[in-house]
């Protein structure tokens, strides 16, 4: 079947107006994300079907829709899916549709040069005092195309027409392709303000304060994307990132709920909170799923992260107070987790000290001399090294400095 597209004015043989759209506007729930609960056009239009994303318009963009109507300028074309039973689903234009319906329902006010003193007016006040403007809004014709075709054709259209305006991000596109009970449950946990996953990620149970561990916005599906990445990479060891997410969604789209995803995500973040009871914003956005997996596989054995929360907190305090450590908090956390001193950005010898030691060594490397090699090196061929490493208590002072050739500087490691 080839996708059939018609203007709704041709389907109805008359203009389709805001009056038609706002007729019987009803919302069983509108938390910005709940699907199949908001209707317009006398109940015949599902404004937020399951493949749609959350509401993402801010107040400024919402108001701009009404101001466009007031100025009698055209709104961008909107698209509906014809379900072939007398009802429709909003394919593109959800944000504009909601702005219109909410304004007509009296949920917010806007300013306009057309109003006395440019003072904000809600629609109820227009109907009482500025009836001509209220009627002009209700009679505004909307440019809507109705699409009829197979499910895959509709999804292709959905992806294609959402490349302008407020473009869909990658997770919003994935959600549109894998709809069903599993996704609805996942979104209820990770894509709503009161979702259990959102609260777990944002609220530190140790302090009951908002201390988030994830980057991005739950409203743009980025918390859900993170949860899927973590469990996808843990489930499919040969897949990373987008491929792991897509594979997991494909394999679980028919599940009754997203309890497996929730259990894994909660296990990861509860482990993080149990290790880092004192919060710093540098903890936000780390790849906790991969870190948790490495910990569970004993790949971090011997590192500070394997100790108790009290011991970890004490070690962090010591690192913060160590004059030799110049790393910011993120580097300190990475050292605690991975045990590699490269994350600490340890103090380096200044050039004056390095050149003084270089001359005192007569341009020679002490390790080379032990091997019978008396070669002299140019200053730029040598590296200032701590004789006693930082990990053994060494300090960045002249007495602890030696100049090594590149070969021996790289091979020395923590030996002294």
């Amino acid at each position: 079947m080839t996708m059939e597209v018609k203007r709704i004015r041709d389907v109805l043989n008359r203009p389709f107006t805001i009056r038609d759209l706002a007729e019987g506007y009803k919302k069983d729930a509108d938390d910005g994300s709940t699907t199949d609960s908001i209707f317009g056009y006398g109940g015949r239009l599902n404004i937020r079907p399951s493949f749609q994303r959350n509401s993402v318009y801010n107040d400024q963009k919402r108001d701009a829709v009404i101001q466009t109507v007031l100025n009698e300028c055209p709104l961008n074309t909107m698209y509906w899916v014809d379900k072939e039973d007398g009802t429709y689903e909003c394919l593109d234009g959800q944000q504009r549709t909601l702005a219109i319906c909410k304004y007509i329902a009296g949920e917010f006010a806007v300013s306009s040069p057309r109003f006395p003193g440019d003072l904000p007016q809600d629609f109820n006040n227009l109907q009482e005092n500025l009836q001509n403007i209220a009627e002009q809004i209700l009679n505004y014709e909307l440019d809507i195309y109705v699409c009829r075709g197979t499910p895959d054709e509709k999804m292709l259209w959905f992806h294609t027409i959402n490349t302008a305006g407020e473009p869909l991000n990658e997770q919003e596109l994935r959600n549109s392709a894998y709809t069903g009970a599993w996704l609805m449950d996942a979104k209820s946990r990770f894509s709503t303000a009161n979702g259990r996953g959102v609260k777990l990620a944002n609220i530190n149970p140790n302090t009951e304060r908002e201390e988030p561990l994830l980057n991005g916005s739950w409203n743009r599906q980025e918390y859900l994307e993170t949860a899927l990445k973590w469990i996808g990479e843990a489930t499919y060891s040969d897949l990373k990132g987008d491929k792991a997410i897509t594979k997991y969604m494909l394999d679980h789209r028919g599940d009754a709920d997203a309890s497996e995803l929730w259990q894994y995500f909660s296990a990861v973040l509860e482990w993080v909170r149990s290790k880092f009871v004192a919060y710093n914003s540098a903890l936000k956005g780390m790849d906790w799923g991969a870190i948790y997996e490495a910990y569970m596989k004993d790949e971090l054995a011997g590192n500070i992260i394997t100790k108790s929360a009290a011991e970890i907190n004490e070690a962090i305090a010591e690192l913060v107070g160590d004059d030799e450590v110049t790393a910011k908090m993120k580097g300190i956390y990475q050292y605690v987790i991975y045990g590699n001193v490269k994350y600490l950005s340890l103090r380096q010898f200044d050039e004056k000290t390095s050149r003084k030691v270089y001359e005192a060594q007569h341009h020679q490397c002490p390790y080379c001399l032990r091997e019978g090699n008396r070669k002299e090196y140019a200053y730029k061929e040598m590296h200032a090294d701590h004789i006693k490493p930082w990990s053994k208590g060494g300090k960045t002072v002249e007495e602890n400095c030696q100049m090594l050739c590149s070969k021996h500087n790289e091979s020395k490691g923590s030996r002294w």
Side-chain angles (χ1 to χ4, degrees):
M1 178 179 180
T2 302
M3 194 75 172
E4 179 185 341
V5 182
K6 290 184 178 180
R7 294 184 71 185
I8 196 167
R9 66 160 19 245
D10 295 329
V11 175
L12 301 177
N13 293 316
R14 65 172 178 81
F16 185 86
T17 66
I18 285 178
R19 189 189 308 275
D20 297 311
L21 180 67
E23 176 194 356
Y25 167 63
K26 182 183 70 158
K27 53 177 184 177
D28 296 330
D30 187 12
D31 54 10
S33 60
T34 303
T35 59
D36 301 319
S37 63
I38 308 174
F39 296 87
Y41 189 26
R44 284 165 286 183
L45 173 66
N46 185 347
I47 297 175
R48 188 181 291 134
S50 59
F51 57 80
Q52 274 285 4
R53 59 174 158 189
N54 294 2
S55 179
V56 298
Y57 264 14
N58 57 28
D59 291 351
Q60 184 179 6
K61 291 181 178 179
R62 176 201 66 186
D63 293 356
V65 172
I66 307 306
Q67 288 158 352
T68 298
V69 173
L70 284 164
N71 293 333
E72 298 184 281
C73 294
L75 287 170
N76 289 339
T77 301
M78 295 186 275
Y79 294 85
W80 294 356
V81 170
D82 184 351
K83 296 190 70 178
E84 303 181 37
D85 60 0
T87 65
Y88 304 90
E89 293 177 328
C90 185
L91 186 65
D92 178 62
Q94 176 204 169
Q95 317 296 332
R96 283 163 282 160
T97 298
L98 285 172
I100 291 168
C101 290
K102 288 181 177 182
Y103 185 70
I104 300 302
E107 294 186 23
F108 65 95
V110 298
S111 300
S112 171
R114 298 197 58 193
F115 300 154
D118 199 12
L119 293 173
Q121 301 279 345
D122 62 25
F123 191 72
N124 293 332
N125 196 55
L126 292 184
Q127 287 183 307
E128 291 179 14
N129 300 304
L130 297 167
Q131 294 93 340
N132 62 313
I133 297 179
E135 281 299 303
Q136 176 225 309
I137 292 173
L138 291 173
N139 292 331
Y140 179 95
E141 182 178 1
L142 297 166
D143 190 19
I144 298 172
Y145 280 81
V146 176
C147 311
R148 178 181 291 186
T150 60
D152 62 310
E153 287 174 327
K154 293 171 187 175
M155 286 301 98
L156 180 60
W157 264 74
F158 179 69
H159 291 185
T160 301
I161 62 184
N162 274 286
T163 57
E166 288 286 337
L168 296 171
N169 61 32
E170 287 299 316
Q171 190 55 44
E172 288 169 336
L173 286 170
R174 294 187 198 103
N175 287 355
S176 71
Y178 302 115
T179 60
W182 173 85
L183 180 62
M184 289 182 66
D185 186 46
K187 290 174 69 175
S188 74
R189 299 172 191 261
F190 299 100
S191 305
T192 65
N194 293 317
R196 295 176 68 190
V198 174
K199 286 188 173 182
L200 182 60
N202 288 349
I203 306 300
N204 187 345
N206 301 306
T207 62
E208 295 299 323
R209 292 196 296 265
E210 186 164 332
E211 296 176 344
L213 291 175
L214 302 190
N215 284 331
S217 165
W218 57 262
N219 195 41
R220 292 305 303 269
Q221 309 301 319
E222 289 164 318
Y223 280 26
L224 174 58
E225 183 176 50
T226 297
L228 288 166
K229 175 184 179 295
W230 290 352
I231 196 170
E233 291 182 347
T235 304
Y236 315 107
S237 59
D238 58 330
L239 298 179
K240 298 294 180 184
D242 293 348
K243 291 183 178 179
I245 294 171
T246 301
K247 173 66 172 170
Y248 187 85
M249 293 186 75
L250 184 63
D251 287 351
H252 291 271
R253 69 191 187 283
D255 291 359
D257 57 48
S259 56
E260 180 185 84
L261 176 64
W262 161 250
Q263 288 165 8
Y264 184 81
F265 180 83
S266 59
V268 172
L269 288 197
E270 286 168 3
W271 173 80
V272 177
R273 298 292 193 189
S274 74
K275 291 293 184 178
F276 299 98
V277 292
Y279 179 81
N280 183 281
S281 59
L283 291 168
K284 182 181 178 182
M286 297 186 74
D287 192 356
W288 293 117
I291 295 168
Y292 176 76
E293 283 298 308
Y295 177 86
M296 297 302 290
K297 294 174 182 176
D298 288 330
E299 294 173 5
L300 304 178
N303 298 344
I304 298 171
I305 192 65
T306 60
K307 298 182 179 181
S308 69
E311 291 173 303
I312 291 172
N313 207 40
E314 183 179 351
I316 290 172
E318 290 178 0
L319 290 165
V320 170
D322 192 331
D323 292 338
E324 296 292 316
V325 175
T326 62
K328 295 182 178 180
M329 285 303 300
K330 183 176 181 180
I332 290 174
Y333 286 132
Q334 288 172 317
Y335 172 73
V336 166
I337 294 165
Y338 301 111
N340 194 325
V341 295
K342 72 177 184 180
Y343 293 114
L344 294 179
S345 302
L346 297 173
R347 281 181 58 203
Q348 302 297 311
F349 293 101
D350 60 36
E351 187 172 0
K352 180 179 179 181
T353 300
S354 300
R355 284 192 175 276
K356 184 177 180 181
V357 173
Y358 172 72
E359 295 298 338
Q361 291 180 191
H362 306 293
H363 313 165
Q364 294 171 316
C365 169
Y367 282 69
C368 287
L369 288 174
R370 292 175 195 171
E371 296 172 355
N373 179 3
R374 303 187 64 82
K375 176 182 177 180
E376 289 191 36
Y377 293 93
Y379 175 74
K380 65 180 181 181
E381 293 179 307
M382 303 192 81
H383 303 270
D385 173 69
H386 290 76
I387 298 172
K388 185 178 183 180
W390 168 83
S391 60
K392 309 293 185 183
K395 302 295 183 181
T396 309
V397 293
E398 183 180 330
E399 295 74 22
N400 196 39
C401 179
Q402 63 183 346
M403 299 298 290
L404 301 182
C405 67
S406 296
K407 172 190 170 183
H408 288 110
N409 182 62
E410 292 172 1
S411 63
K412 175 177 177 283
S414 296
R415 292 178 288 108
W416 68 290

